[in-house]
């Protein structure tokens, strides 16, 4: 089932306005594959009628479209190396310069929570070895559905099989029926809320480390620059920005330094004014 050119342009513009995701021509098949199931659930017989309802401002359908067109690919300890760097280098470094002894980590575009909870489990390993420190994970995502899933901390066996280390399964999960639920001590360390990375992070806490991984690739260059600036605005001087391994950031300016680490893309913000 094909989507008309004008309908694709409308959906692409809608998604850009709501999420800043850039759907260029050539992504018609992706849009069709995500919208057809929603069309059938809505009771419409074709995509033209479905998009017509979007044009009329059906908010429930609009929210479902944004959720459907947001990429939610995630797994535990994805790519491994950034999490090793987090434990061995980033955490010790921010701890040395912390005035409050409270470590705050932002999992940006957190999807269903696997990245944030992976970081939380590493922090639970680290905190007993560093008495006097406190820590928290803040996860945000553009999808309300993903925020709900992350907050629940409940995962299927298939999701568990995607990267979770066996010792952490044993230590930090309870089996409930056919699913696995994170123990309270892990869930208490992480909070999840809705957030649009392209909008100023008003009310967001100052952070020591930001994981902004595998998300910049979905934005056009001006939006990438805006997202980086929004991250900088809540990253304390000396804090770290962790990107995805295949991502490139726009020119970050003289107050950013690329950190020499193996198999991970990490920048440190040096402070001293705007980036």
């Amino acid at each position: 089932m094909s989507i008309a050119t004008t309908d694709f342009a409308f959906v692409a513009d809608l998604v850009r306005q709501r999420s800043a995701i850039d759907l260029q021509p050539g992504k018609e098949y992706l849009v069709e594959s995500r919208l057809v199931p929603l069309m059938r659930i809505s009771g419409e017989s074709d995509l033209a009628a479905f998009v017509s309802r979007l044009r009329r401002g059906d908010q429930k359908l609009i929210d479902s479209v944004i959720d459907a067109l947001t990429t939610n690919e995630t797994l535990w300890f994805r790519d491994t190396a950034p999490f090793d760097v987090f434990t061995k280098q980033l955490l010790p470094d921010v701890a040395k310069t912390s005035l409050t002894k409270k470590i705050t980590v932002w999992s940006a575009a957190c999807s269903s929570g696997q990245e944030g909870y992976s970081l939380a489990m590493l922090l639970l390993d680290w905190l007993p070895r560093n008495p006097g420190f406190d820590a928290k994970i803040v996860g945000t995502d553009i999808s309300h559905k993903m925020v709900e899933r992350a907050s629940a901390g409940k995962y299927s066996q298939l999701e568990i099989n995607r990267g979770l280390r066996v010792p952490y399964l044993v230590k930090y999960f309870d089996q409930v029926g056919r699913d696995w639920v994170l123990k309270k001590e892990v869930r208490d360390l992480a909070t999840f809320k809705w957030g649009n990375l392209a909008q100023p992070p008003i009310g967001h806490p100052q952070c020591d480390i930001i994981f902004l991984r595998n998300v910049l690739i979905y934005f056009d260059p001006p939006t990438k620059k805006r997202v980086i600036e929004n991250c900088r605005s809540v990253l304390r001087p000396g804090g770290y920005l962790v990107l995805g391994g295949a991502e490139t950031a726009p020119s970050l300016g003289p107050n950013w330094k690329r950190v020499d680490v193996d198999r991970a893309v990490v920048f440190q913000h040096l402070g001293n004014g705007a980036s």
Side-chain angles (χ1 to χ4, degrees):
M1 187 174 294
S2 298
I3 187 169
T5 301
T6 54
D7 287 342
F8 173 79
F10 173 80
V11 171
D13 187 57
L14 178 68
V15 171
R16 188 179 299 110
Q17 290 178 24
R18 296 299 182 95
S19 71
I21 293 172
D22 188 28
L23 292 171
Q24 290 290 326
K27 295 285 188 180
E28 287 86 353
Y29 175 76
L30 170 67
V31 171
E32 290 160 3
S33 67
R34 301 287 178 87
L35 294 193
V36 167
L38 297 179
M39 176 200 77
R40 290 172 177 156
I41 291 170
S42 73
E44 300 296 346
S45 59
D46 57 48
L47 286 174
F50 181 80
V51 174
S52 179
R53 286 177 58 179
L54 298 178
R55 292 178 187 274
R56 294 196 299 270
D58 187 321
Q59 191 58 53
K60 186 175 180 180
L61 279 190
I62 290 172
D63 288 344
S64 68
V65 166
I66 300 303
D67 276 350
L69 289 171
T70 302
T71 300
N72 295 311
E73 173 66 16
T74 187
L75 59 152
W76 305 95
F77 301 99
R78 184 175 183 177
D79 301 328
T80 305
F83 296 92
D84 292 340
V85 171
F86 173 76
T87 301
K88 296 175 182 177
Q89 186 168 339
L90 305 190
L91 268 180
D93 189 67
V94 298
K96 282 190 298 185
T97 58
S98 174
L99 300 177
T100 63
K101 288 188 173 292
K102 185 167 186 175
I103 308 297
T104 301
V105 183
W106 181 9
S107 173
C110 65
S111 189
S112 47
Q114 284 90 324
E115 177 182 84
Y117 286 129
S118 294
L119 294 167
M121 288 184 281
L122 292 175
L123 280 169
L124 286 172
D125 287 346
W126 182 83
L127 286 169
R129 301 194 301 268
N130 295 271
F133 276 89
D134 192 10
K136 68 175 180 179
I137 305 291
V138 179
T140 63
D141 200 88
I142 193 72
S143 167
H144 292 283
K145 181 179 178 181
M146 288 298 106
V147 171
E148 289 175 7
R149 288 212 56 218
S151 299
K154 182 178 179 181
Y155 299 94
S156 68
Q157 184 66 57
L158 179 62
E159 290 169 318
I160 290 294
N161 290 344
R162 301 194 69 203
L164 185 64
R165 302 167 185 178
V166 172
Y168 287 132
L169 175 63
V170 174
K171 187 174 183 180
Y172 292 123
F173 285 81
D174 292 317
Q175 189 167 16
V176 180
R178 301 175 70 176
D179 295 321
W180 294 88
V181 179
L182 278 153
K183 292 182 183 293
K184 186 176 183 297
E185 63 182 306
V186 186
R187 287 185 281 113
D188 284 350
L189 205 62
T191 58
F192 298 93
K193 61 182 182 178
W194 183 89
N196 185 335
L197 294 173
Q199 296 176 354
I202 297 171
H204 198 86
Q206 287 290 300
C207 299
D208 300 281
I209 302 168
I210 299 175
F211 270 56
L212 181 71
R213 304 183 62 235
N214 307 304
V215 62
L216 290 178
I217 55 175
Y218 299 106
F219 300 140
D220 60 23
T223 305
K224 287 182 182 180
K225 186 174 181 179
R226 188 161 72 250
V227 169
I228 293 291
E229 173 58 22
N230 288 339
C231 289
R232 186 208 62 79
S233 71
V234 295
L235 185 63
R236 74 169 181 81
Y240 292 97
L241 177 67
V242 184
L243 302 182
E247 290 177 309
T248 57
S251 177
L252 295 179
N255 293 310
W256 290 92
K257 178 181 74 173
R258 175 75 182 261
V259 181
D260 184 17
V261 293
D262 186 33
R263 297 180 297 117
V265 181
V266 181
F267 293 89
Q268 184 178 32
H269 190 255
L270 304 177
N272 299 322
S275 63

